[in-house]
Amino acid sequence: MSDTLPDLAIVYEHPEWFEPLFAALDRHGVTYVKVPLAGHTFDPAASPAPATVVFSRVAMSSFLRDPEHPIFYAQSLFEHWQGQGTRVVNASALNIDTSKARQMSLIARLGLKGPATRVAHRQADIPAAAEGLRFPVLVKADIGGAGAGITRYETPETLAEAAGEAWCPAGVNGLSLIQEYAPRRDGRITRVETLNGRYLYAIDIESPGDAFDLCPADACLVRPGAPTLTMTKTTPPDEIIAAVERLAVAAGLEVGGIEYLIDDRDGSVRIYDINGLSNFVAKPVEVLGFDPHDDLVDWLKGIVAEEKGRRA
Protein backbone atom coordinates (compact mmCIF):
# COMPACT_ATOMS: atom_id res chain seq x y z
CA MET A 1 0.00 0.00 0.00
CA SER A 2 1.38 3.39 -0.99
CA ASP A 3 2.59 5.69 1.80
CA THR A 4 1.46 8.67 -0.30
CA LEU A 5 -2.25 7.88 -0.14
CA PRO A 6 -4.56 10.63 1.09
CA ASP A 7 -5.95 10.09 4.57
CA LEU A 8 -9.55 9.85 3.49
CA ALA A 9 -11.78 9.27 0.47
CA ILE A 10 -15.33 10.63 0.59
CA VAL A 11 -17.55 8.50 -1.65
CA TYR A 12 -20.84 10.20 -2.47
CA GLU A 13 -23.57 10.75 -5.02
CA HIS A 14 -25.08 14.16 -4.20
CA PRO A 15 -22.91 16.98 -5.61
CA GLU A 16 -23.74 19.57 -2.90
CA TRP A 17 -24.63 17.88 0.37
CA PHE A 18 -21.11 17.47 1.69
CA GLU A 19 -19.65 20.95 1.35
CA PRO A 20 -19.85 21.43 5.16
CA LEU A 21 -17.93 18.16 5.62
CA PHE A 22 -15.27 19.19 3.11
CA ALA A 23 -14.92 22.54 4.90
CA ALA A 24 -14.43 20.76 8.25
CA LEU A 25 -11.81 18.44 6.75
CA ASP A 26 -9.99 21.50 5.41
CA ARG A 27 -10.11 23.16 8.83
CA HIS A 28 -8.60 20.09 10.44
CA GLY A 29 -5.86 19.62 7.84
CA VAL A 30 -7.04 16.20 6.69
CA THR A 31 -5.85 15.15 3.23
CA TYR A 32 -8.78 13.75 1.30
CA VAL A 33 -10.11 12.99 -2.16
CA LYS A 34 -13.65 13.39 -3.41
CA VAL A 35 -15.00 10.28 -5.13
CA PRO A 36 -18.32 11.02 -6.86
CA LEU A 37 -20.03 7.79 -7.87
CA ALA A 38 -21.28 9.15 -11.21
CA GLY A 39 -18.80 7.92 -13.79
CA HIS A 40 -17.08 5.57 -11.34
CA THR A 41 -16.13 2.01 -12.36
CA PHE A 42 -13.93 -0.65 -10.80
CA ASP A 43 -12.01 -3.78 -11.74
CA PRO A 44 -12.87 -6.71 -9.42
CA ALA A 45 -9.34 -8.03 -9.91
CA ALA A 46 -7.63 -4.72 -9.12
CA SER A 47 -8.88 -1.17 -8.31
CA PRO A 48 -7.37 -0.51 -4.87
CA ALA A 49 -9.01 2.04 -2.59
CA PRO A 50 -8.03 5.66 -3.27
CA ALA A 51 -7.20 6.53 0.36
CA THR A 52 -6.17 5.03 3.68
CA VAL A 53 -9.77 5.17 4.88
CA VAL A 54 -12.97 5.39 2.82
CA PHE A 55 -16.08 7.15 4.16
CA SER A 56 -19.44 6.17 2.67
CA ARG A 57 -21.84 9.05 2.10
CA VAL A 58 -24.29 7.14 -0.13
CA ALA A 59 -27.85 8.50 0.03
CA MET A 60 -30.87 6.22 -0.30
CA SER A 61 -32.70 9.10 -1.98
CA SER A 62 -30.27 8.92 -4.92
CA PHE A 63 -32.82 6.94 -6.92
CA LEU A 64 -34.96 10.09 -6.97
CA ARG A 65 -32.24 11.98 -8.81
CA ASP A 66 -31.08 9.32 -11.23
CA PRO A 67 -32.77 6.06 -12.29
CA GLU A 68 -29.22 4.71 -12.70
CA HIS A 69 -28.59 5.30 -9.01
CA PRO A 70 -25.45 3.95 -7.26
CA ILE A 71 -27.07 2.33 -4.18
CA PHE A 72 -26.34 -1.28 -5.10
CA TYR A 73 -23.15 -0.42 -6.98
CA ALA A 74 -21.75 1.16 -3.83
CA GLN A 75 -22.39 -2.00 -1.83
CA SER A 76 -20.34 -4.03 -4.32
CA LEU A 77 -17.60 -1.39 -4.46
CA PHE A 78 -17.25 -1.17 -0.69
CA GLU A 79 -17.16 -4.95 -0.29
CA HIS A 80 -14.42 -5.04 -2.95
CA TRP A 81 -12.31 -2.53 -1.03
CA GLN A 82 -12.99 -4.20 2.30
CA GLY A 83 -11.85 -7.48 0.80
CA GLN A 84 -8.52 -5.80 0.08
CA GLY A 85 -8.25 -4.78 3.73
CA THR A 86 -9.43 -1.17 3.50
CA ARG A 87 -11.47 0.36 6.31
CA VAL A 88 -14.75 1.63 4.82
CA VAL A 89 -16.52 3.76 7.41
CA ASN A 90 -20.29 3.26 7.58
CA ALA A 91 -20.41 0.55 4.92
CA SER A 92 -21.86 -1.56 7.74
CA ALA A 93 -24.94 0.69 7.75
CA LEU A 94 -25.93 -0.09 4.17
CA ASN A 95 -27.68 -3.37 4.96
CA ILE A 96 -30.16 -1.64 7.26
CA ASP A 97 -30.24 1.64 5.34
CA THR A 98 -31.37 -0.11 2.15
CA SER A 99 -34.52 -1.61 3.68
CA LYS A 100 -37.18 -0.09 5.88
CA ALA A 101 -38.54 -3.61 6.32
CA ARG A 102 -35.25 -4.69 7.91
CA GLN A 103 -35.33 -1.54 10.04
CA MET A 104 -38.78 -2.39 11.41
CA SER A 105 -37.72 -5.97 12.12
CA LEU A 106 -34.65 -4.82 14.03
CA ILE A 107 -36.66 -2.30 16.06
CA ALA A 108 -39.09 -5.06 17.05
CA ARG A 109 -36.31 -7.56 17.89
CA LEU A 110 -34.81 -5.07 20.32
CA GLY A 111 -38.16 -4.74 22.11
CA LEU A 112 -38.72 -1.20 20.83
CA LYS A 113 -41.87 0.14 19.19
CA GLY A 114 -42.32 1.21 15.59
CA PRO A 115 -45.53 1.89 13.70
CA ALA A 116 -47.58 -1.27 13.15
CA THR A 117 -46.24 -2.47 9.79
CA ARG A 118 -46.80 -5.06 7.10
CA VAL A 119 -44.52 -5.77 4.12
CA ALA A 120 -45.56 -6.88 0.63
CA HIS A 121 -43.74 -7.44 -2.64
CA ARG A 122 -46.81 -7.49 -4.91
CA GLN A 123 -49.31 -4.68 -5.26
CA ALA A 124 -52.13 -7.23 -5.31
CA ASP A 125 -51.18 -8.37 -1.79
CA ILE A 126 -51.24 -4.91 -0.20
CA PRO A 127 -54.98 -4.78 0.71
CA ALA A 128 -54.83 -8.18 2.44
CA ALA A 129 -51.61 -7.18 4.23
CA ALA A 130 -53.39 -4.12 5.65
CA GLU A 131 -56.12 -6.21 7.29
CA GLY A 132 -56.07 -5.64 11.04
CA LEU A 133 -54.33 -2.27 10.79
CA ARG A 134 -56.12 0.88 11.90
CA PHE A 135 -56.82 3.33 9.10
CA PRO A 136 -55.56 5.70 7.87
CA VAL A 137 -52.46 3.84 6.71
CA LEU A 138 -49.30 4.94 4.94
CA VAL A 139 -47.70 3.03 2.10
CA LYS A 140 -43.95 3.54 1.79
CA ALA A 141 -41.24 2.33 -0.56
CA ASP A 142 -38.82 -0.06 1.15
CA ILE A 143 -35.89 2.03 -0.08
CA GLY A 144 -36.86 5.62 0.45
CA GLY A 145 -35.32 8.94 1.33
CA ALA A 146 -36.66 12.45 1.82
CA GLY A 147 -40.13 11.05 2.41
CA ALA A 148 -40.21 9.86 -1.19
CA GLY A 149 -43.56 8.63 -2.41
CA ILE A 150 -45.19 8.10 0.97
CA THR A 151 -48.94 8.01 0.38
CA ARG A 152 -51.76 8.10 2.92
CA TYR A 153 -54.93 6.04 2.42
CA GLU A 154 -57.96 6.85 4.54
CA THR A 155 -59.98 3.66 3.99
CA PRO A 156 -59.49 0.03 2.91
CA GLU A 157 -61.47 0.84 -0.22
CA THR A 158 -59.15 3.62 -1.39
CA LEU A 159 -56.14 1.41 -0.66
CA ALA A 160 -57.64 -1.50 -2.61
CA GLU A 161 -58.39 0.77 -5.55
CA ALA A 162 -54.82 2.09 -5.66
CA ALA A 163 -53.32 -1.37 -5.30
CA GLY A 164 -55.59 -2.69 -8.04
CA GLU A 165 -54.24 -0.04 -10.39
CA ALA A 166 -50.65 -0.61 -9.14
CA TRP A 167 -50.48 2.99 -7.91
CA CYS A 168 -49.12 2.25 -4.42
CA PRO A 169 -45.51 3.24 -3.69
CA ALA A 170 -42.98 0.47 -4.24
CA GLY A 171 -39.25 0.58 -3.70
CA VAL A 172 -36.62 0.17 -6.37
CA ASN A 173 -36.34 -3.36 -4.96
CA GLY A 174 -40.09 -3.93 -5.43
CA LEU A 175 -41.07 -3.92 -1.73
CA SER A 176 -43.80 -1.83 -0.10
CA LEU A 177 -44.48 -1.16 3.57
CA ILE A 178 -48.00 -0.64 4.86
CA GLN A 179 -48.00 1.20 8.19
CA GLU A 180 -50.59 2.53 10.57
CA TYR A 181 -50.52 6.30 10.46
CA ALA A 182 -49.31 7.51 13.86
CA PRO A 183 -50.29 11.16 14.46
CA ARG A 184 -47.29 13.08 15.81
CA ARG A 185 -47.85 14.80 19.11
CA ASP A 186 -47.53 18.58 18.75
CA GLY A 187 -46.80 18.07 15.03
CA ARG A 188 -43.16 17.19 15.61
CA ILE A 189 -40.71 14.36 15.20
CA THR A 190 -37.33 14.01 16.90
CA ARG A 191 -34.16 13.15 15.04
CA VAL A 192 -31.29 11.81 17.12
CA GLU A 193 -27.83 11.80 15.57
CA THR A 194 -25.29 9.22 16.69
CA LEU A 195 -21.56 8.91 16.18
CA ASN A 196 -19.74 5.62 16.78
CA GLY A 197 -22.86 4.27 18.47
CA ARG A 198 -23.14 7.15 20.92
CA TYR A 199 -25.57 10.05 21.23
CA LEU A 200 -24.30 13.21 19.52
CA TYR A 201 -27.32 15.55 19.55
CA ALA A 202 -31.06 15.66 18.92
CA ILE A 203 -33.41 18.11 17.27
CA ASP A 204 -37.17 18.45 17.17
CA ILE A 205 -38.45 19.05 13.64
CA GLU A 206 -41.83 20.61 13.02
CA SER A 207 -43.39 20.89 9.58
CA PRO A 208 -46.62 22.24 8.16
CA GLY A 209 -49.38 19.65 7.85
CA ASP A 210 -48.28 16.08 7.36
CA ALA A 211 -45.08 16.69 5.39
CA PHE A 212 -42.88 13.59 5.27
CA ASP A 213 -39.80 15.26 3.76
CA LEU A 214 -38.00 16.26 6.95
CA CYS A 215 -34.37 16.44 5.84
CA PRO A 216 -32.76 19.16 8.01
CA ALA A 217 -29.57 19.82 6.02
CA ASP A 218 -28.65 23.00 4.16
CA ALA A 219 -28.97 21.57 0.66
CA CYS A 220 -32.33 19.97 1.47
CA LEU A 221 -33.90 23.16 2.75
CA VAL A 222 -33.21 25.13 -0.43
CA ARG A 223 -34.72 22.58 -2.82
CA PRO A 224 -37.69 23.82 -4.85
CA GLY A 225 -40.89 22.81 -3.10
CA ALA A 226 -39.17 21.74 0.13
CA PRO A 227 -41.38 22.21 3.21
CA THR A 228 -40.61 24.93 5.72
CA LEU A 229 -39.14 23.23 8.78
CA THR A 230 -38.67 24.50 12.32
CA MET A 231 -35.69 22.84 14.00
CA THR A 232 -35.00 23.14 17.71
CA LYS A 233 -32.29 21.53 19.81
CA THR A 234 -33.68 19.09 22.36
CA THR A 235 -32.47 16.46 24.81
CA PRO A 236 -34.53 13.26 24.84
CA PRO A 237 -35.14 11.37 28.08
CA ASP A 238 -32.30 9.10 29.19
CA GLU A 239 -34.24 5.95 28.35
CA ILE A 240 -34.78 7.09 24.77
CA ILE A 241 -31.10 7.98 24.36
CA ALA A 242 -30.16 4.53 25.67
CA ALA A 243 -32.60 2.85 23.26
CA VAL A 244 -31.29 4.86 20.31
CA GLU A 245 -27.67 4.00 21.14
CA ARG A 246 -28.56 0.31 21.41
CA LEU A 247 -30.34 0.48 18.07
CA ALA A 248 -27.46 2.33 16.38
CA VAL A 249 -24.98 -0.35 17.46
CA ALA A 250 -27.27 -3.20 16.41
CA ALA A 251 -27.89 -1.52 13.04
CA GLY A 252 -24.17 -1.10 12.32
CA LEU A 253 -24.47 2.69 12.20
CA GLU A 254 -21.10 4.32 12.68
CA VAL A 255 -22.59 7.67 11.66
CA GLY A 256 -26.35 7.81 11.52
CA GLY A 257 -29.65 9.33 12.55
CA ILE A 258 -32.67 7.69 14.15
CA GLU A 259 -36.09 9.33 14.06
CA TYR A 260 -39.01 8.86 16.40
CA LEU A 261 -42.32 10.48 17.22
CA ILE A 262 -44.71 10.48 20.13
CA ASP A 263 -47.91 8.77 18.99
CA ASP A 264 -50.68 11.19 19.93
CA ARG A 265 -53.17 8.32 20.24
CA ASP A 266 -51.50 6.75 23.27
CA GLY A 267 -48.32 8.71 24.08
CA SER A 268 -46.02 5.86 23.04
CA VAL A 269 -42.60 6.39 21.47
CA ARG A 270 -42.56 5.12 17.88
CA ILE A 271 -39.19 4.76 16.14
CA TYR A 272 -39.88 4.86 12.43
CA ASP A 273 -36.63 5.52 10.56
CA ILE A 274 -32.95 4.56 10.68
CA ASN A 275 -30.83 6.78 8.47
CA GLY A 276 -27.28 5.80 7.59
CA LEU A 277 -26.33 9.10 5.97
CA SER A 278 -26.82 11.86 8.55
CA ASN A 279 -26.65 15.19 6.86
CA PHE A 280 -26.30 17.33 9.95
CA VAL A 281 -28.66 20.17 10.68
CA ALA A 282 -28.34 23.43 8.74
CA LYS A 283 -26.74 26.33 10.64
CA PRO A 284 -25.51 23.95 13.36
CA VAL A 285 -23.80 26.55 15.55
CA GLU A 286 -26.99 28.60 15.60
CA VAL A 287 -29.26 25.61 16.32
CA LEU A 288 -26.98 23.42 18.46
CA GLY A 289 -24.27 25.71 19.79
CA PHE A 290 -21.54 23.64 18.08
CA ASP A 291 -20.69 22.14 14.69
CA PRO A 292 -21.01 18.33 14.76
CA HIS A 293 -18.80 18.11 11.67
CA ASP A 294 -15.87 18.87 13.98
CA ASP A 295 -16.77 15.89 16.17
CA LEU A 296 -17.12 13.72 13.08
CA VAL A 297 -13.76 14.78 11.65
CA ASP A 298 -11.98 14.28 14.99
CA TRP A 299 -13.35 10.74 15.09
CA LEU A 300 -12.35 10.09 11.46
CA LYS A 301 -8.81 11.35 12.21
CA GLY A 302 -8.58 8.74 14.95
CA ILE A 303 -9.61 6.00 12.53
CA VAL A 304 -7.03 7.18 9.97
CA ALA A 305 -4.32 7.11 12.66
CA GLU A 306 -5.32 3.56 13.64
CA GLU A 307 -5.19 2.39 10.03
CA LYS A 308 -1.80 3.97 9.44
CA GLY A 309 -0.50 2.32 12.60
CA ARG A 310 -1.87 -1.05 11.53
CA ARG A 311 -0.12 -0.80 8.16
CA ALA A 312 3.20 0.45 9.52
Side-chain angles (χ1 to χ4, degrees):
M1 190 71 66
S2 172
D3 292 333
T4 61
L5 281 177
D7 292 339
L8 198 63
I10 311 298
V11 180
Y12 62 96
E13 164 269 337
H14 197 286
E16 300 168 357
W17 277 358
F18 307 107
E19 292 304 321
L21 172 60
F22 299 147
L25 291 168
D26 290 336
R27 287 198 303 273
H28 287 256
V30 178
T31 60
Y32 66 96
V33 290
K34 302 176 184 180
V35 184
L37 285 164
H40 194 275
T41 64
F42 75 95
D43 177 354
S47 296
T52 301
V53 172
V54 173
F55 185 22
S56 168
R57 300 282 74 199
V58 179
M60 294 304 102
S61 60
S62 60
F63 75 91
L64 298 171
R65 293 177 286 277
D66 189 343
E68 296 182 302
H69 61 81
I71 294 171
F72 304 122
Y73 173 81
Q75 289 179 294
S76 297
L77 176 64
F78 294 155
E79 186 170 332
H80 170 69
W81 284 336
Q82 287 172 315
Q84 296 176 335
T86 297
R87 176 78 154 86
V88 183
V89 174
N90 228 32
S92 55
L94 282 176
N95 184 61
I96 205 76
D97 206 15
T98 52
S99 175
K100 293 184 183 299
R102 287 196 287 265
Q103 293 175 22
M104 292 299 107
S105 292
L106 178 59
I107 289 165
R109 286 201 303 274
L110 294 181
L112 305 172
K113 282 187 177 181
T117 302
R118 307 291 185 268
V119 182
H121 73 98
R122 300 193 316 166
Q123 293 265 323
D125 297 329
I126 287 175
E131 291 178 6
L133 297 179
R134 289 179 288 181
F135 278 75
V137 298
L138 305 177
V139 179
K140 301 178 177 181
D142 189 45
I143 297 178
I150 297 175
T151 304
R152 174 171 165 165
Y153 298 94
E154 299 296 329
T155 66
E157 292 75 22
T158 57
L159 178 64
E161 179 183 2
E165 298 293 334
W167 292 339
C168 292
V172 292
N173 60 357
L175 272 64
S176 299
L177 276 69
I178 308 94
Q179 288 185 337
E180 282 190 5
Y181 170 74
R184 349 187 241 228
R185 180 156 292 178
D186 299 322
R188 70 169 65 102
I189 65 98
T190 302
R191 179 169 175 132
V192 183
E193 297 292 351
T194 64
L195 177 61
N196 196 26
R198 301 299 302 273
Y199 173 83
L200 182 58
Y201 71 84
I203 53 173
D204 285 334
I205 304 177
E206 297 179 60
S207 63
D210 271 338
F212 299 113
D213 182 357
L214 301 175
C215 173
D218 303 76
C220 293
L221 299 180
V222 298
R223 291 173 302 177
T228 301
L229 304 182
T230 301
M231 295 168 289
T232 308
K233 181 181 179 183
T234 189
T235 303
D238 290 345
E239 61 271 20
I240 293 181
I241 291 176
V244 164
E245 290 182 338
R246 190 158 57 98
L247 182 55
V249 171
L253 294 189
E254 295 187 281
V255 185
I258 292 170
E259 296 180 6
Y260 71 88
L261 56 81
I262 305 300
D263 189 335
D264 203 37
R265 298 172 298 183
D266 58 15
S268 61
V269 175
R270 303 276 179 177
I271 299 174
Y272 67 89
D273 189 46
I274 300 173
N275 189 307
L277 181 63
S278 284
N279 277 316
F280 294 138
V281 65
K283 301 179 180 178
V285 175
E286 180 179 319
V287 175
L288 304 174
F290 71 101
D291 189 342
H293 287 97
D294 291 322
D295 298 73
L296 172 58
V297 172
D298 277 337
W299 178 68
L300 289 170
K301 286 165 63 178
I303 292 174
V304 170
E306 288 176 9
E307 286 300 298
K308 287 182 174 179
R310 183 177 66 83
R311 297 176 184 185

